[in-house]
Amino acid sequence: IVDGEVWGAMTAAAGGAPLPEQLEDRLAEVTELAATAISNSESRAGLARLADEQAALRRMATLVARGVPAEEVFAAVTEAVGQLPGVDAARLARYEPDRTLTAVAAWGRKTPVFPVGGRLALGGNNLSTLVFESGRPARVDSYVGVSGPAGAAGRESGYRSSVGSPIVVERRLWGIVMVASTIEEQLPADTEARLASFTELLATAIANAESRADLARLAEEQAALRRVATLVARGTRPQEVFAAVANEVARLLSVDVANAIRHDSDDMVTLVASAGELIPIGSRWHLDGTTVASIVLETGRPARVDNYAQLPGELAGELREEGIRSAVSTPIIVEGRVWGQIVTASRQEEPLPLDTEERLVSFTELLATAIANTEARTELGRLVDEQAALRRVATLVAEGAPPTKVFETVTREVGILCGADLARMERYDSDDSVVGVASWGSDDAPGLAVGTRFSLEGASIAAMVREASRPVRVASFVDAQGPIAHEAQSLGIRSSVGCPIVVEGRLWGVIAASSKSMTPFPPDTESQIAEFTELVATAVANTEARTELAASRARIVAAADEERRRVVRDLHDGAQQRLVHTILMVAQARQALQPQPELASEFMVEALAQAEAATEELRALAHGLLPEILTHGGLRPAVNSLAMRTPVPVEVAVSVGRHPAAVEATAYFVIAEALTNVAKHAHARQATVTAHVEDGTLQVRVRDDGVGGARLKGSGLLGIADRLAVLDGQLRVESPIGGGTLVAADLPVAG
């Protein structure tokens, strides 16, 4: 009996006479001495073993205190626990998030079946699974009936029994220390307690290593973030910031792929930066299946795929072919909207770490800031450009520029401002068609023909605007029908945006911007174009008003000229003829009455004189209305006649042929009014009148050497100016004090 337990037995035997009765007592004395000897021996062995164990723990503690790499601590601890009584093999393994076990250290009297780096799935009835599920030490005293991959590996190694103790690091189950025996005898009962001493050291070593790794990783991550933040603060181009982020993420997270993508539409994305792949920047593709990018696009939240092996979809299949095993993606949120995302992917067996999403968020926030800053600068620049363009067009409208110039300018400004390849302005006709009134094209895109008429049948911006009377857009002309759609297809146009031009409540026309790019126009394109349509409407309304005013003036002038001609005809054919006839009759009466008394002759003489005076006055009146010589002879003889009647000497140099009656009458009245002012107010010694045609313009000049000081205020010159305006002519008066006067009139006569 050693320490209260039956250690063994002592026996005595004889071949002859029976043994003495006192032998039991004698044996009892001997067994007590044997028990003391055995106890002393076991105590010494226990002390030695305890000393060895404490020495091993001190060595492990020294390694931990020195901060040696965790891999060295793992190997030393595994070898140390392999020296425990009855142990033939020892293993240190880490539990993975996907319920697998990875060997990080192994020791055995023979080559271990389960080498370092090997992985086994948990499950079944085995030591690794028992510790994982319970979080407490466990043992297997017999491998008969043990199941699961870990159990099968134990049987292959010849294990008969095993003991495992959990490694708990900062309250989380990190892994397991396991020892095993290949002999029939079970491992000692105190094996679990002995392993616990080593697991505490392991937990400390792992925690220290993780802290150092976390600190180093944090420092490296902060340095990377500072580098990117510096680029953002400097206003670096977004493309450079995207590339920097992709490279920093790939390096920090040790991933095989780091891409930044931009969302273009509901399922279309564009690659804006890449690290680790040879996909060209600018590549576009549709998202499908259950890739991380698809999940982020749908939910707007970070997403991960830990194993692409079983995921459906063509894109997931392509990723599997590229060897991608797991991926994590985080959205880039700019001012509340999901602008794009950073996608990371790995070809390693292990899924990406659980903190990958959190680490990516810091970079997406910097990207969001860079994008927001760039968009703000772009928006400000675009606003400045838009306001400048609007001012240019408004200036043209205010100056009364010809409509064609306004149309061309607006169309060009809209095309450039919207980043379009083509821009076009069209006017609606009453027969369900449109006519191009202005066109613009970028350097590599020819403009559409001005003056071309198109039917509104089929798909087109013009047809949609006419039907809806509001801004519209066509996302794609593929498979569209109709003459305008066919022209768009032939020019490579993919999408268009158009706005109506409404003039005084009626739909006058449409402005459209078109693009050959797959990228659609921004959402605010319609509002940009609408700003210009209001100016176009004003220009059209002003032009129509001026045209109507000019037509009204022309009708008034034509009616006045016709009235003058009628008065002249009436005077010539009526009163003047009768006065001439009266004069002739009075002359004949005077001749007949010559033998008669003197009194009758005196009355006849007086009557004749009055009739002749009336005739001269009527002739002068008719001449002032519209001289017959102008009507029948043209401007040159009419001006010569005016000069002859002017009391101031007039030199005439009129070298023009016949022109329309309105032009000749206007030029005549300019000269007549100017010569009248010369005679009445100029105190001039002489005057000159010139008239000739140059560059399609009849240029009339009346100059005198009088006192000057004439102003365009009198009713005569103002009336002449109004008459000139009817024919798109201009009047200019130059009359410095003491420098004479120049009256200049220009009338367009081309064609």
Side-chain angles (χ1 to χ4, degrees):
I1 306 298
V2 178
D3 296 333
E5 294 185 357
V6 177
W7 183 91
M10 179 177 289
T11 60
L19 291 172
E21 293 182 359
Q22 297 87 359
L23 186 57
E24 288 90 341
D25 295 334
R26 298 284 302 274
L27 285 178
E29 293 174 358
V30 173
T31 57
E32 288 178 3
L33 290 173
T36 300
I38 293 169
S39 178
N40 291 341
S41 175
E42 287 186 348
S43 295
R44 288 193 298 272
L47 286 174
R49 187 176 62 187
L50 180 61
D52 292 341
E53 187 174 321
Q54 291 299 315
L57 288 172
R58 282 195 299 273
R59 290 194 298 273
M60 301 304 103
T62 301
L63 293 177
V64 173
R66 289 176 179 174
V68 300
E71 292 76 11
E72 294 184 25
V73 177
F74 295 160
V77 168
T78 306
E79 183 178 357
V81 298
Q83 307 308 312
L84 295 177
V87 173
D88 296 311
R91 184 174 66 197
L92 177 61
R94 181 181 66 243
Y95 289 117
E96 306 294 353
D98 59 349
R99 290 183 63 86
T100 60
L101 191 70
T102 300
V104 296
W107 175 89
R109 301 187 186 283
K110 298 180 181 179
T111 302
V113 177
F114 191 48
V116 173
R119 300 184 72 179
L120 287 175
L122 296 176
N125 179 24
N126 54 71
L127 184 66
S128 300
T129 304
L130 291 173
V131 172
F132 177 79
E133 292 179 347
S134 67
R136 296 191 301 270
R139 69 165 49 220
V140 171
D141 290 332
S142 173
Y143 270 79
V144 177
V146 172
S147 61
R155 280 195 300 273
E156 291 179 13
S157 299
Y159 297 161
R160 298 297 183 90
S161 63
S162 60
V163 172
S165 180
I167 304 171
V168 179
V169 179
E170 295 180 351
R171 299 185 180 181
R172 78 178 189 278
L173 181 61
W174 185 91
I176 180 175
V177 173
M178 185 191 79
V179 293
S181 174
T182 58
I183 62 176
E184 289 289 343
E185 186 178 354
Q186 298 175 358
L187 288 167
D190 62 350
T191 303
E192 289 90 334
R194 292 182 171 182
L195 287 178
S197 300
F198 289 95
T199 59
E200 292 176 1
L201 284 173
L202 283 172
T204 302
I206 294 168
N208 291 347
E210 288 184 347
S211 296
R212 289 192 298 271
D214 287 344
L215 184 60
R217 186 182 69 180
L218 180 61
E220 190 176 4
E221 187 173 314
Q222 291 301 313
L225 288 170
R226 279 196 301 274
R227 289 191 290 270
V228 175
T230 300
L231 294 178
V232 174
R234 290 175 177 172
T236 306
R237 293 188 310 120
Q239 292 80 358
E240 296 181 28
V241 178
F242 294 151
V245 167
N247 290 327
E248 296 285 6
V249 166
R251 183 178 57 82
L252 282 174
L253 302 184
S254 300
V255 293
D256 297 297
V257 178
N259 291 338
I261 60 176
R262 182 187 69 233
H263 296 173
D264 292 334
S265 60
D266 291 342
D267 61 348
M268 182 70 71
V269 296
T270 298
L271 182 70
V272 297
S274 179
E277 291 293 309
L278 298 179
I279 303 175
I281 303 302
S283 299
R284 307 178 78 239
W285 63 88
H286 289 277
L287 296 179
D288 68 341
T290 53
T291 62
V292 285
S294 303
I295 299 171
V296 170
L297 184 63
E298 180 180 354
T299 64
R301 297 191 299 271
R304 68 164 46 227
V305 170
D306 287 336
N307 192 344
Y308 271 102
Q310 304 299 325
L311 292 184
E314 181 179 352
L315 188 54
E318 294 177 0
L319 293 174
R320 284 194 295 273
E321 292 179 3
E322 293 293 327
I324 299 300
R325 304 296 296 269
S326 62
V328 171
S329 183
T330 304
I332 303 170
I333 300 176
V334 180
E335 296 181 351
R337 75 182 192 279
V338 179
W339 183 92
Q341 49 187 297
I342 296 179
V343 183
T344 59
S346 171
R347 293 186 174 91
Q348 302 300 318
E349 289 283 344
E350 301 178 13
L352 289 169
L354 295 177
D355 63 347
T356 302
E357 292 91 331
E358 182 180 354
R359 299 178 71 186
L360 284 177
V361 166
S362 300
F363 289 95
T364 60
E365 290 175 351
L366 283 174
L367 278 181
T369 301
I371 294 165
N373 291 347
T374 301
E375 289 184 347
R377 290 194 296 269
T378 302
E379 180 63 25
L380 180 60
R382 189 180 68 173
L383 181 61
V384 170
D385 293 342
E386 183 177 332
Q387 293 301 313
L390 287 170
R391 280 196 301 273
R392 289 191 290 269
V393 176
T395 300
L396 290 178
V397 175
E399 291 175 348
T404 53
K405 186 173 183 179
V406 175
F407 297 160
E408 291 172 359
T409 303
V410 166
T411 305
R412 182 181 65 254
E413 297 286 7
V414 165
I416 295 173
L417 194 64
C418 296
D421 295 304
L422 297 167
R424 179 181 173 96
M425 185 185 301
E426 298 168 326
R427 186 191 72 243
Y428 289 110
D429 273 1
S430 57
D431 56 350
D432 291 332
S433 63
V434 289
V435 176
V437 298
S439 179
W440 172 87
S442 61
D443 294 339
D444 58 346
L448 304 175
V450 174
T452 306
R453 184 183 302 274
F454 285 101
S455 170
L456 292 178
E457 295 180 0
S460 69
I461 289 290
M464 295 168 64
V465 166
R466 179 153 190 165
E467 180 179 354
S469 295
R470 57 176 175 79
V472 299
R473 64 171 58 204
V474 173
S476 174
F477 282 97
V478 177
D479 300 329
Q481 299 298 318
I484 297 180
H486 292 160
E487 184 189 34
Q489 293 163 0
S490 68
L491 293 172
I493 294 174
R494 295 181 177 274
S495 61
S496 294
V497 176
C499 290
I501 303 171
V502 180
V503 179
E504 296 181 350
R506 75 181 191 280
L507 184 61
W508 181 89
V510 61
I511 302 178
S514 303
S515 174
K516 295 181 177 182
S517 171
M518 293 289 291
T519 304
F521 283 105
D524 61 345
T525 303
E526 290 88 338
S527 61
Q528 280 186 297
I529 298 177
E531 296 281 350
F532 290 91
T533 62
E534 295 176 1
L535 288 172
V536 173
T538 301
V540 172
N542 291 349
T543 300
E544 291 181 348
R546 287 195 298 269
T547 302
E548 180 60 31
L549 179 59
S552 176
R553 286 177 174 176
R555 289 193 297 271
I556 293 172
V557 170
D561 288 346
E562 182 60 32
E563 184 62 20
R564 289 189 180 96
R565 294 187 184 92
R566 186 189 64 77
V567 171
V568 171
R569 288 195 302 269
D570 290 347
L571 290 173
H572 182 274
D573 298 337
Q576 190 173 336
Q577 292 298 325
R578 284 193 293 273
L579 284 172
V580 171
H581 182 68
T582 300
I583 292 170
L584 292 175
M585 293 300 295
V586 170
Q588 290 176 0
R590 181 184 177 191
Q591 291 176 357
L593 290 173
Q594 281 181 354
Q596 302 300 323
E598 293 295 330
L599 182 60
S601 179
E602 291 178 4
F603 280 124
M604 296 301 265
V605 171
E606 180 67 22
L608 182 59
Q610 292 294 330
E612 289 175 345
T615 300
E616 287 300 322
E617 290 179 359
L618 285 173
R619 283 177 180 159
L621 178 61
H623 183 82
L625 290 172
L626 200 63
E628 184 176 359
I629 190 172
L630 175 67
T631 303
H632 297 289
L635 187 60
R636 187 183 304 170
V639 173
N640 288 332
S641 177
L642 273 175
M644 292 175 61
R645 296 198 306 274
T646 302
V648 177
V650 178
E651 181 182 348
V652 177
V654 176
S655 57
V656 296
R658 296 306 304 267
H659 289 288
V663 173
E664 289 184 338
T666 300
Y668 176 81
F669 284 124
V670 169
I671 297 170
E673 179 65 25
L675 290 178
T676 298
N677 290 337
V678 170
K680 290 182 178 181
H681 310 295
H683 303 292
R685 294 188 300 273
Q686 65 177 2
T688 59
V689 177
T690 62
H692 67 280
V693 176
E694 183 178 334
D695 295 331
T697 300
L698 173 58
Q699 298 181 357
V700 177
R701 304 289 186 268
V702 180
R703 187 185 299 274
D704 67 65
D705 59 357
V707 297
R711 295 290 182 267
L712 190 58
K713 294 182 179 179
S715 60
L717 288 177
L718 285 176
I720 293 301
D722 289 342
R723 185 174 185 115
L724 283 167
V726 171
L727 301 179
D728 290 332
Q730 294 181 342
L731 180 66
R732 187 176 79 257
V733 176
E734 298 177 2
S735 186
I737 300 298
T741 299
L742 170 65
V743 176
D746 295 326
L747 291 91
V749 295

